[in-house]
Amino acid sequence: MGSSTQIEDMTQTERISTAIERGKRVLRLEMEALAEAESRLGRSFGEAVYLISECTGRVIVCGVGKSGLIARKIAATMTSTGTPAFFLHPVEGAHGDLGIVTENDVAILLSKSGETDEIISVLEPLKRFGVKTVAITGNINSTLGANVDVALDGWVAEEACPHDLAPTTSTTVALAIGDAIAIALLEAKGFRAEDFARLHPGGSLGRKMLTRVRDVMVDESLSIVSEDSTMRDAIIKIASQRGLAIVTNKAGFVLGVITAGDLTRLMRGSDSFMDTPVSSVMNPSPKLAHQDEMGSAVVHRMQEFGIIAMPVIDGDNKLVGVVHLHDLMRAGAI
C-alpha cells in the first residue's frame, strides 16, 4: 500500500515538473519571437504610425480565426488610447458590413501567411474605396504583403505548439506589434492619463483619475480663524469642523493650520492656554491642496505626511475649501 502511494506521488511530481518545463519552453519561445520582432522593426513601422496618425477617419482592424481575436484586441486598445478603431470581420465585410467604411479610414489587416482567403477577398474592395492599408503578416512577400500600402513584418521561426500548428508565437507577435502602434500613436498625440480616464469613466481608474479636489471639498462653514485670534476661538472651530482650524489673513491667504493634535500637545504643556495666540501654535507651513488637483495626488500626500484634512486654495492661492481624506476615499480617489 505504502509503495503504491509513493509511486503515485512520484508520478504526480514528475507530471507537474514536466508541465512546468513545457510552460517555460512556451514562454521562452514567445520571448525569443518578440525579441526577433523588435530587431526586425524598421522604417515600415514608422510609416504605418504616420499613416494612421494622418487618418481623419477611423482605423479598421480585420482578421479571421485567432488573428481575428487579436484584431479585436488591437482595435479595443486603440479606441481606449485615443485612436478611434473598430473590428471588421472579413466575411461580414464581404456581405454588407463594408458599408461602414469610408475613404478617410485606414485598415490594418492581420494574416500570418498573408494568403488568408477571407482577408485577400476584402483587400480589393477596401483599396477600391480609397482606404489606406497596413498589413501585419508573417510573410511580407505574400499576396497581402505585396498589395498593401505598408507591410509590417510579423514573421516567427516557429509556433510554440510542438506541432508548429496552433497560433501562439505568431499571435503574440501580432498583438505586440498592434500594441506598439497604439502606444506610438498615443505618445504622438500627447494622450494623457486624464484622457484615458475620460474614456474609462465606469472603472476604478476612471473614478480615481476623474475625481478632482473641487468635486469633494467642503466649501461652506469653513473653520477659519483670523491671525489675531486666540486658542479660545480655534478650539471651537476644531471641535465643530472635523479637527482642523485654518488661520488666514484678511485677504484670504492661508497663514497656517491648527489640528486636534496641536491642541492636545498644547493642553499637555499648559493648564492656561485659552488666551494663547493662534500664531504661536499653528503650523506656519501647512500642506495645501489645489482645487484643480487630482484627488489621487492629494490622497498620496495625505498618506505620506499623515494628514487627515487639508486646506484647498484656488489659482490665486486663496482659501476656497477643505478636503478630507475620508471624502476622497469615498469618491474613489484611492
Side-chain angles (χ1 to χ4, degrees):
M1 178 72 73
S3 176
S4 174
T5 301
Q6 188 175 21
I7 292 174
E8 182 179 341
D9 289 343
M10 186 179 296
T11 302
Q12 182 182 26
T13 300
E14 290 176 344
R15 289 170 63 187
I16 291 173
S17 178
T18 299
I20 292 171
E21 289 305 312
R22 287 171 176 167
K24 288 183 176 181
R25 172 184 171 276
V26 171
L27 294 178
R28 184 172 62 255
L29 287 173
E30 299 211 354
M31 286 190 294
E32 290 172 354
L34 288 173
E36 177 67 22
E38 180 190 11
S39 70
R40 298 164 76 94
L41 201 70
R43 181 179 176 81
S44 60
F45 178 82
E47 292 174 346
V49 171
Y50 176 77
L51 191 68
I52 298 170
S53 70
E54 293 295 297
C55 169
T56 58
R58 292 172 295 175
V59 179
I60 307 157
V61 193
C62 192
V64 69
K66 302 300 184 293
S67 292
L69 297 174
I70 298 302
R72 290 179 186 274
K73 197 278 180 182
I74 292 172
T77 298
M78 286 187 168
T79 297
S80 71
T81 53
T83 301
F86 65 92
F87 171 74
L88 175 68
H89 194 289
V91 175
E92 299 298 333
H95 290 274
D97 281 5
L98 282 172
I100 200 172
V101 176
T102 75
E103 63 181 8
N104 298 317
D105 298 334
V106 171
I108 300 177
L109 309 172
L110 278 67
S111 170
K112 177 187 175 183
S113 67
E115 302 293 346
T116 307
D117 290 339
E118 295 87 346
I119 297 297
I120 300 303
S121 68
V122 83
L123 175 60
E124 191 278 329
L126 285 173
K127 293 180 73 66
R128 188 170 67 248
F129 292 162
V131 174
K132 297 296 183 181
T133 52
V134 176
I136 300 177
T137 177
N139 182 2
I140 58 175
N141 296 315
S142 61
T143 301
L144 178 63
N147 287 280
V148 293
D149 294 293
V150 181
L152 299 179
D153 192 352
W155 176 86
V156 296
E158 62 177 316
E159 299 288 3
C161 165
H163 307 298
D164 195 24
L165 295 174
T168 45
T169 50
S170 61
T171 49
T172 296
V173 167
L175 177 60
I177 291 174
D179 284 344
I181 294 172
I183 300 307
L185 289 166
L186 175 155
E187 294 184 356
K189 294 178 178 181
F191 194 78
R192 303 165 302 165
E194 293 88 340
D195 300 318
F196 188 90
R198 275 193 288 273
L199 298 179
H200 299 75
S204 60
L205 175 62
R207 291 192 299 273
K208 180 177 179 180
M209 295 299 296
L210 291 176
T211 300
R212 300 286 177 171
V213 170
R214 62 173 176 268
D215 298 325
V216 296
M217 71 181 188
V218 176
D219 58 5
E220 296 180 352
S221 302
L222 299 179
S223 53
I224 301 172
V225 293
S226 64
E227 54 190 318
D228 56 358
S229 298
T230 65
M231 285 304 298
R232 188 185 307 277
D233 303 309
I235 290 172
I236 297 173
K237 298 293 184 179
I238 292 172
S240 63
Q241 298 292 332
R242 299 168 75 174
L244 181 72
I246 307 168
V247 183
T248 65
N249 61 17
K250 293 180 180 180
F253 294 103
V254 177
L255 302 179
V257 299
I258 302 172
T259 66
D262 296 325
L263 177 59
T264 299
R265 286 187 289 274
L266 181 64
M267 292 172 65
R268 287 175 179 169
S270 172
D271 292 330
S272 56
F273 57 85
M274 299 295 279
D275 294 325
T276 302
V278 294
S279 59
S280 65
V281 180
M282 69 180 188
N283 171 8
S285 302
K287 303 299 179 184
L288 304 175
H290 193 281
Q291 63 178 357
D292 292 324
E293 272 191 281
M294 288 190 294
S296 56
V298 176
V299 168
H300 176 75
R301 291 211 304 282
M302 286 182 165
Q303 293 177 329
E304 181 181 1
F305 295 103
I307 298 171
I308 298 298
M310 195 179 289
V312 181
I313 58 175
D314 62 13
D316 295 323
N317 295 321
K318 293 184 178 181
L319 180 70
V320 291
V322 176
V323 65
H324 296 267
L325 178 61
H326 294 161
D327 294 336
L328 287 165
M329 294 175 67
R330 278 195 294 270
I334 185 174

